[in-house]
Amino acid sequence: MTLAPLVNASPAIQLHAVAALISLALTPLQLAGGKGTAAHRLLGYGWVTAMGIVAVSSLWIHTMPVLGPFSGIHLLSVWVIAMLPVAVLSARKGQIRRHRNAMISFVIGALGIAGAFTLLPGRILHQVLFGL
């Protein structure tokens, strides 16, 4: 393992990676903790902020262009940017099922599936973790 590929990456990639790690770290705390508590709301706002940073910072990452400078993953970023406020407002309005479903879809899609793609050979996280 070496942090050199991340240290040498663009500021957008560095910010993206740090925000993603924060989101990943907060996820199990949110899932394991009580729902609707002050702690859940506080951690939730931190998680939403970090995920928003992940999504917005990705718009400045163009390592696998398909359509101009953008790739399919950028569609996921736009979806996250659009849906984060919907998820928060759903909780505030008491629409807990909608809130829960949105949050689960973020964890599975944005952190899980998109995160798994960062482990592919040639990607910076792959280089960090496996040194290849």
Side-chain angles (χ1 to χ4, degrees):
M1 186 166 120
T2 176
L3 290 177
L6 189 56
V7 170
N8 296 323
S10 72
I13 291 173
Q14 293 172 347
L15 178 62
H16 184 79
V18 169
L21 288 173
I22 291 169
S23 295
L24 281 170
L26 291 177
T27 296
L29 297 174
Q30 283 295 81
L31 293 174
K35 308 302 181 262
T37 65
H40 181 78
R41 285 190 298 278
L42 180 63
L43 288 173
Y45 282 119
W47 189 92
V48 165
T49 300
M51 281 301 295
I53 291 169
V54 169
V56 171
S57 65
S58 76
L59 299 176
W60 279 268
I61 300 172
H62 306 287
T63 56
M64 301 175 74
V66 174
L67 182 60
F70 300 106
S71 68
I73 199 75
H74 290 102
L75 293 174
L76 177 62
S77 298
V78 171
W79 175 78
V80 169
I81 291 165
M83 291 304 296
L84 280 173
V86 171
V88 172
L89 290 173
S90 295
R92 294 186 74 173
K93 290 179 180 179
Q95 299 169 341
I96 303 307
R97 175 176 282 175
R98 185 176 188 189
H99 170 74
R100 182 183 62 240
N101 290 343
M103 291 302 173
I104 290 170
S105 69
F106 291 138
V107 170
I108 293 170
L111 288 177
I113 295 170
F117 279 104
T118 66
L119 298 174
L120 293 173
R123 304 296 306 266
I124 289 176
L125 189 56
H126 184 272
Q127 295 169 3
V128 167
L129 294 175
F130 306 113
L132 303 173

